[in-house]
Amino acid sequence: MAEETTEQIVERTARKVREGTVVSNKMDKTAVVAVVSRVPHAKYNKMIIQTTKLYAHDETNDTNIGDKVRVMETRALSKKKRWRVIDVLERAK
């Protein structure tokens, strides 16, 4: 019976979680989520809005365009898909 030491137990780092809006759901089990972030301009310090499109795995094809969703970073599922949909925060009206 082997005893596990603290060196043998590898802690997984915290995964990134983002919130965004679904902009496309035409692919099977994939949703494209637009995440908006506000960052200061490097030279002028004016706040700039940046939009990043993330390809997220949606196992149940449950999301629709306009839904607010929460996505979590995961292992590579395909060439571009590195995120998965955790839950739908708000449905589109």
Side-chain angles (χ1 to χ4, degrees), residues 55-69:
Y55 287 72
H57 184 68
D58 179 20
E59 184 64 36
T60 58
N61 283 327
D62 190 34
T63 58
N64 292 312
I65 296 174
D67 289 351
K68 303 266 190 248
V69 295

Side-chain angles (χ1 to χ4, degrees), residues 3-90:
E3 293 182 23
E4 293 185 24
T5 61
T6 56
E7 294 92 28
Q8 292 173 340
I9 300 173
V10 179
E11 292 289 329
R12 188 185 301 181
T13 58
R15 296 183 176 186
K16 296 175 187 171
V17 176
R18 301 284 186 262
E19 292 180 5
T21 306
V22 176
V23 292
S24 174
N25 65 347
K26 294 190 183 295
M27 293 173 274
D28 186 34
K29 296 188 178 181
T30 303
V32 181
V33 180
V35 176
V36 176
S37 59
R38 296 181 61 204
V39 294
H41 188 277
K43 183 174 181 181
Y44 301 112
N45 287 331
K46 179 181 177 179
M47 295 306 278
I48 298 173
I49 297 174
Q50 287 183 341
T51 304
T52 306
K53 285 163 60 169
L54 306 175
Y55 287 72
H57 184 68
D58 179 20
E59 184 64 36
T60 58
N61 283 327
D62 190 34
T63 58
N64 292 312
I65 296 174
D67 289 351
K68 303 266 190 248
V69 295
R70 182 174 290 134
V71 293
M72 176 187 281
E73 194 175 37
T74 187
R75 65 182 175 85
L77 298 171
S78 68
K79 180 181 175 182
K80 293 183 178 182
K81 206 169 11 172
R82 305 288 191 268
W83 299 79
R84 70 172 183 254
V85 175
I86 300 173
D87 56 347
V88 178
L89 302 173
E90 183 181 329

